[in-house]
Amino acid sequence: MSTTPLPTDTAPLPEARPADPWRMPAPRPRGAVSEALLAALEGSPDDARLAPVTDALEEARIDGPDGPRVVLGEDAQLALLVLYELHYRGVDGVDDGWEWHPGLLALRSRLERPFEAALRARVPQPAWDGTPADAAGVAARLFALAAEDDGPSLSRYVAKKADAAQARELLALKSVYQLKEADPHTWAIPRLSGAPKAALVEIQADEYGGGRPGRMHAELFAQAMRGVGLDDSYGRYVDAVPAVSLVAVNTMSLLGLHRRLRGAIVGHLAAFEMTSSIPSRLYGNGFRRLGHDTDTTWYFDEHVEADAVHEQIAARDLAGRLVEQEPVLRDDVLWGAALCLAVEGDVAAHALERWQRGESALGRPLATA
Amino acid sequence: MTIQGPPDDVTVTACPDGPLLVRGPATILGPDGEPVPRNRATVALCRCGGTAIPPWCDGTHKVNGYRSGPDAPAGDGGDHGGDAPRPRE
């Protein structure tokens, strides 16, 4: 047994909530690696039995020349998501002691090496164009990179064409990240100093609602989910989300959790903010067209205004000043930005392709509202 | 539109080809003289005229070809640099 495609049974997702609603529910395995991992995590970290996970990784040839392809599949991406989730809110039924278990970290590293190699193969290092690498030059280069992005526009489709079921699918597809929105970039705060650190905190404070929990972007997203009849509990739709979306989420965790990649997570955030305000207006228009009220569209309306601020701070004060401080990070910043555009673009391309064929963009259908 | 506030606490950064970023406790008054509600600590005021959510920026300058012109020289000692208005010498 090696990696498997998404489960082929089309049973709707179960309605059961996890025992602890703050944690991610334990997902269904998608192949031998995630199955062995989830089984191992049911045990105690004081009596770790990780050999079956190691065996499954070897059988999947994760260390072989085909490792980068294998690691982008459903099975390995789910395993990575679970391993990273131990650093966020945890997984239902999994002992918190696993988070820093050396054996488990070693296994994560065996997945991360081919994962990073796959991302570097997917997104080559963008060339620096000779602009002076000062704050203004870095900002200009990042804005140009985002403007050149010719990925398919999911927001335009949602504005004009998406039906009610596709609008719900969009929110389910985004929910694995959006219910912890901003968290992966927050890992970078203690890794920065001075001006770029102040800039990142300025952005993140706004992401977290500026001291008002109800304005936290993840909370606004939860409100939008409820507005379209979805369950807003954390990680509720993990089983429905295909590998391409997990790649986008795991990319952020990889960049955020490794200090050596701090330039890339900063570039990722800058590109994310630069491709948000205009698409958010289009998403909001789509949800209004479908008859949703301002409580439901607030999430998108908020991002039109907020991300027009954040992109300016992220470009100059965060990314630009970081490169001034640490010129060696210039290429990482640029690569992180290009990586964000690519992996988020892959999610958009996947959803559009499925919807235009009249199919679901999810691996499993949603229960009817 | 008027921006009021203790000058030492308020900075306005002119973003090249983009909005004016306002940091600090500035009260922003609309055309009727009433304060515009502010929902965040740092706000971006539209400079290109194309926004759908005035007075705030909505990113439209990136698609309507707005250019702010050459930057004023740096070295004014401001925290956020840029071509913020300053007295002529």
Side-chain angles (χ1 to χ4, degrees), chain A residues 295-320:
Chain A
D295 283 352
T296 302
T297 63
W298 187 8
Y299 173 80
F300 297 111
D301 301 337
E302 159 71 7
H303 280 76
V304 174
E305 183 187 320
D307 292 347
V309 177
H310 297 176
E311 67 180 359
Q312 298 297 339
I313 302 170
R316 253 172 303 279
D317 303 322
L318 174 57

Side-chain angles (χ1 to χ4, degrees), chain A residues 8-158:
Chain A
T8 48
D9 71 282
T10 53
L13 293 162
E15 288 301 325
R17 281 168 172 267
D20 179 349
W22 303 109
R23 289 171 180 251
M24 186 175 88
R28 295 193 203 185
R30 298 187 188 182
V33 173
S34 51
E35 185 165 14
L37 174 67
L38 286 158
L41 293 178
E42 283 174 14
S44 163
D46 298 327
D47 181 27
R49 291 161 195 239
L50 296 172
V53 192
T54 309
D55 293 347
L57 284 172
E58 284 186 3
E59 208 153 322
R61 302 185 187 278
I62 200 78
D63 303 315
D66 212 20
R69 187 191 61 79
V70 172
V71 84
L72 296 180
E74 299 287 347
D75 189 27
Q77 283 300 310
L78 182 67
L80 263 176
L81 186 85
V82 167
L83 290 167
Y84 285 139
E85 191 55 41
L86 300 175
H87 299 286
Y88 294 98
R89 298 211 205 152
V91 180
D92 198 39
V94 173
D95 190 315
D96 284 341
W98 279 111
E99 183 184 359
W100 296 104
H101 187 280
L104 197 63
L105 292 175
L107 284 177
R108 195 185 85 191
S109 160
R110 286 187 67 182
L111 284 159
E112 285 181 312
R113 276 195 298 267
F115 183 39
E116 186 177 339
L119 294 176
R120 292 198 183 272
R122 167 75 182 79
V123 183
Q125 174 67 50
W128 189 256
D129 60 0
T131 314
D134 56 11
V138 170
R141 183 73 184 95
L142 288 171
F143 276 116
L145 198 67
E148 286 159 15
D149 182 45
D150 56 0
S153 174
L154 194 57
S155 58
R156 210 173 299 281
Y157 180 90
V158 170

Side-chain angles (χ1 to χ4, degrees), chain A:
Chain A
M1 222 168 126
S2 65
T3 55
T4 56
L6 271 180
T8 48
D9 71 282
T10 53
L13 293 162
E15 288 301 325
R17 281 168 172 267
D20 179 349
W22 303 109
R23 289 171 180 251
M24 186 175 88
R28 295 193 203 185
R30 298 187 188 182
V33 173
S34 51
E35 185 165 14
L37 174 67
L38 286 158
L41 293 178
E42 283 174 14
S44 163
D46 298 327
D47 181 27
R49 291 161 195 239
L50 296 172
V53 192
T54 309
D55 293 347
L57 284 172
E58 284 186 3
E59 208 153 322
R61 302 185 187 278
I62 200 78
D63 303 315
D66 212 20
R69 187 191 61 79
V70 172
V71 84
L72 296 180
E74 299 287 347
D75 189 27
Q77 283 300 310
L78 182 67
L80 263 176
L81 186 85
V82 167
L83 290 167
Y84 285 139
E85 191 55 41
L86 300 175
H87 299 286
Y88 294 98
R89 298 211 205 152
V91 180
D92 198 39
V94 173
D95 190 315
D96 284 341
W98 279 111
E99 183 184 359
W100 296 104
H101 187 280
L104 197 63
L105 292 175
L107 284 177
R108 195 185 85 191
S109 160
R110 286 187 67 182
L111 284 159
E112 285 181 312
R113 276 195 298 267
F115 183 39
E116 186 177 339
L119 294 176
R120 292 198 183 272
R122 167 75 182 79
V123 183
Q125 174 67 50
W128 189 256
D129 60 0
T131 314
D134 56 11
V138 170
R141 183 73 184 95
L142 288 171
F143 276 116
L145 198 67
E148 286 159 15
D149 182 45
D150 56 0
S153 174
L154 194 57
S155 58
R156 210 173 299 281
Y157 180 90
V158 170
K160 302 271 188 213
K161 293 190 180 152
D163 62 24
Q166 290 166 341
R168 295 175 75 230
E169 285 201 3
L170 175 80
L171 297 190
L173 201 59
K174 288 180 171 282
S175 65
V176 174
Y177 169 62
Q178 244 73 39
L179 290 174
K180 62 177 172 216
E181 183 169 342
D183 289 348
H185 302 102
T186 298
W187 297 123
I189 293 173
R191 284 133 191 211
L192 304 181
S193 66
K197 182 181 200 140
L200 180 54
V201 171
E202 187 178 26
I203 293 169
Q204 298 302 83
D206 202 39
E207 292 280 341
Y208 292 128
R212 290 163 294 178
R215 293 195 68 93
M216 200 178 290
H217 288 181
E219 292 290 327
L220 298 181
F221 189 83
Q223 183 171 308
M225 290 181 79
R226 295 193 297 274
V228 300
L230 292 174
D231 181 344
D232 67 346
S233 51
Y234 187 76
R236 172 64 180 76
Y237 296 103
V238 164
D239 286 331
V241 167
V244 67
S245 280
L246 300 184
V247 168
V249 182
N250 287 333
T251 293
M252 289 185 251
S253 298
L254 171 75
L255 303 184
L257 284 167
H258 290 267
R259 191 172 59 80
R260 79 184 156 83
L261 297 172
R262 64 196 177 284
I265 191 69
V266 161
H268 183 287
L269 178 60
F272 209 98
E273 301 288 359
M274 286 173 180
T275 48
S276 175
S277 51
I278 292 173
S280 290
R281 186 176 67 212
L282 295 170
Y283 284 128
N285 290 345
F287 280 73
R288 274 183 284 278
R289 176 178 57 77
L290 291 166
H292 291 294
D293 61 14
T294 50
D295 283 352
T296 302
T297 63
W298 187 8
Y299 173 80
F300 297 111
D301 301 337
E302 159 71 7
H303 280 76
V304 174
E305 183 187 320
D307 292 347
V309 177
H310 297 176
E311 67 180 359
Q312 298 297 339
I313 302 170
R316 253 172 303 279
D317 303 322
L318 174 57
R321 298 297 294 275
L322 178 64
V323 173
E324 284 184 354
Q325 248 181 19
E326 297 189 77
V328 70
L329 296 182
R330 183 195 72 187
D331 285 353
D332 283 354
V333 167
L334 215 54
W335 180 66
L339 183 58
C340 172
L341 299 172
V343 297
E344 298 296 331
D346 288 345
V347 177
H350 163 84
L352 276 175
E353 189 190 312
R354 292 295 187 87
W355 289 347
Q356 281 164 349
R357 288 208 307 252
E359 295 170 10
S360 168
L362 302 175
R364 287 167 180 275
L366 298 169
T368 46

